[in-house]
Amino acid sequence: MPPKKHQTSIKDLAQQLNLSISTVSRALADHRDISEATKQRVRQLAQELSFRPNQLAAALRKGHSKNLGVIVPHIKGYFFPAVLNGIEKVATREGFNVMMCQSNEDLRREKRNIETLLDAQVEGILMSVSATTHPETEHFEQVRRQGIPLVFFDRVPELPQSMAVVLDDFQGAYQAVSHLIAQGCTRIAHLAGPQHLNTSRNRCLGYLEALRAHGITHEEQWLYSLPTLTHEAGRLGMQHLLDAAPQLDGLFAAYAIPTVGALEVLREQGRRVPQDLALACFSNEPFTAMTQPQLTVIDQRAEQMGETAVRLFLQLLKRGPVYAPPHLVLKPELIIRNSSLHRSQESPVAGR
């Protein structure tokens, strides 16, 4: 392995030019007290030696780094990339550089992500926790102890006084299941996510409340909690539900990717969607409009969530740790497509 190339510093420039470090620094900054001849000498040598100023050090001398850290569980699919797009849009407009890390649903990697961002002197961290984080919260407390604003989005840990931007997952699930009931479904199953995640738990509660509110008694065999949020898990979960309750006429799934696996199993077993079983799920991934039939979904306001998380961070940065708002809750939107239209096969207009 070749030796690491030495990076030219201001000190190197000063030594070669026989100038003080402060003179070189002011020349590079085009300070009016430095003569044009000296500025030209400094610039020429800096170019010859490929000198790059340490922007982080300069920013820290002014009391800020203008770096904003972001941690997501993964960047697969649509949701988290869309959230990141919203974050970057507002952060860039406010003069911040975004440093993105992904935990790959792994607690140990999530902890390393936080260490990396703290070492980079970020001014704040926005994050959605991994599926394996529960019940650990010490690494979040570490951020707090350093006085760094910490804002969660979508997936939120059980942490007192945490600041977060979330979707009303309960209401989204309630809307989706109520819609299935309006289509004539009376035996509706639920492919739930891991219940330690706030998103999964609230979607399950919304499902149960919709059944109760419409006078439908929930059967235990109608609910299956997915161990992971994968395509294969959706296949296994759907097979389990059909074996346990073959007379199902509706399905509400908590996540989109497992829903595709469930749809495959239904097709393989000759169960027509929506004629035999109507289906709705979270979230509005682009592929949900390309399946056959197109999937009825709950839109999660992904880009708006990212934008709102940055604005909350900016408020915290301005007002300090005493500013502790409640969770900011975004409203879901039910987008109706053919997979849930039990009584009609006409293409609907998307809407609430």
Side-chain angles (χ1 to χ4, degrees):
M1 183 176 178
K4 185 176 179 180
K5 187 176 179 180
H6 173 70
Q7 185 171 342
T8 302
S9 66
I10 286 184
K11 183 178 179 181
D12 296 327
L13 297 178
Q15 287 177 341
Q16 291 201 38
L17 293 169
N18 197 26
L19 296 171
S20 68
I21 292 175
S22 62
T23 297
V24 172
S25 179
R26 286 183 292 167
L28 290 170
D30 199 24
H31 198 282
R32 63 186 179 186
D33 290 346
I34 307 300
S35 69
E36 284 302 320
T38 300
K39 289 178 183 177
Q40 184 58 34
R41 287 178 62 210
V42 171
R43 290 169 186 157
Q44 183 175 343
L45 183 61
Q47 184 175 5
E48 291 173 2
L49 299 181
S50 301
F51 169 75
R52 292 177 60 84
N54 188 331
Q55 300 290 356
L56 177 59
L60 291 176
R61 284 195 294 272
K62 298 176 183 177
H64 54 78
S65 69
K66 302 301 285 186
N67 287 334
L68 176 61
V70 181
I71 304 174
V72 294
H74 57 78
I75 53 173
K76 296 176 288 187
Y78 164 79
F79 178 71
F80 286 114
V83 173
L84 287 168
N85 188 54
I87 289 173
E88 185 134 33
K89 182 192 301 182
V90 177
T92 301
R93 190 166 64 226
E94 296 293 332
F96 282 84
N97 304 306
V98 176
M99 302 178 65
M100 193 277 290
C101 301
Q102 59 176 326
S103 66
N104 281 338
E105 304 285 17
D106 181 79
L107 172 61
R108 290 172 297 179
R109 186 160 177 173
E110 181 176 274
K111 289 180 177 180
R112 289 198 300 271
N113 291 159
I114 284 180
E115 292 290 348
T116 297
L117 293 175
L118 291 178
D119 288 345
Q121 302 290 315
V122 295
E123 292 195 57
I125 295 178
L126 315 182
M127 71 176 297
S128 187
V129 302
S130 80
T132 58
T133 296
H134 178 80
E136 289 203 38
T137 60
E138 173 56 29
H139 50 310
F140 306 137
E141 296 289 2
Q142 177 188 0
V143 178
R144 284 179 167 182
R145 285 194 294 269
Q146 295 195 25
I148 305 297
L150 176 61
V151 176
F152 297 97
F153 58 88
D154 190 48
R155 300 186 194 174
V156 181
E158 295 181 6
L159 189 67
Q161 296 181 320
S162 61
M163 285 155 272
V165 181
V166 297
L167 186 79
D168 191 339
D169 291 288
F170 177 95
Q171 184 60 30
Y174 187 93
Q175 288 179 9
V177 176
S178 296
H179 166 67
L180 293 175
I181 293 170
Q183 295 303 302
C185 300
T186 58
R187 298 178 298 278
I188 304 169
H190 179 35
L191 272 180
Q195 290 301 290
H196 65 271
L197 292 177
N198 61 298
T199 49
S200 302
R201 187 168 59 251
N202 289 331
R203 292 169 194 180
C204 186
L205 291 173
Y207 156 77
L208 293 171
E209 178 58 21
L211 294 182
R212 189 202 65 77
H214 291 85
I216 298 175
T217 301
H218 175 257
E219 303 289 341
E220 185 178 345
Q221 62 268 28
W222 293 355
L223 195 150
Y224 180 86
S225 290
L226 298 164
T228 60
L229 306 179
T230 62
H231 172 274
E232 183 58 27
R235 286 186 58 88
L236 294 173
M238 190 71 252
Q239 187 61 63
H240 174 89
L241 288 171
L242 291 177
D243 290 343
Q247 300 305 313
L248 292 173
D249 60 7
L251 174 69
F252 167 59
Y255 297 89
I257 291 176
T259 304
V260 178
L263 197 60
E264 288 178 0
V265 170
L266 291 168
R267 188 177 297 117
E268 290 165 4
Q269 296 208 3
R271 299 288 290 269
R272 299 170 302 165
V273 176
Q275 296 95 323
D276 301 325
L277 186 145
L279 190 158
C281 71
F282 272 82
S283 59
N284 192 21
E285 301 270 351
F287 68 77
T288 60
M290 304 174 193
T291 56
Q292 186 58 41
Q294 294 181 334
L295 299 177
T296 289
V297 297
I298 295 294
D299 187 272
Q300 293 177 270
R301 310 285 192 185
E303 191 162 326
Q304 183 184 353
M305 184 174 289
E307 294 173 357
T308 306
V310 178
R311 293 191 186 104
L312 179 52
F313 152 71
L314 292 171
Q315 290 178 8
L316 289 169
L317 197 63
K318 181 179 180 180
R319 303 186 191 183
V322 295
Y323 176 67
H327 288 189
L328 299 178
V329 182
L330 305 180
K331 292 183 178 180
E333 180 184 10
L334 175 65
I335 299 176
I336 300 172
R337 302 190 185 118
N338 285 339
S339 72
S340 65
L341 296 181
H342 217 174
R343 295 173 176 166
S344 171
Q345 285 299 284
E346 296 180 3
S347 297
V349 175
R352 284 195 176 310

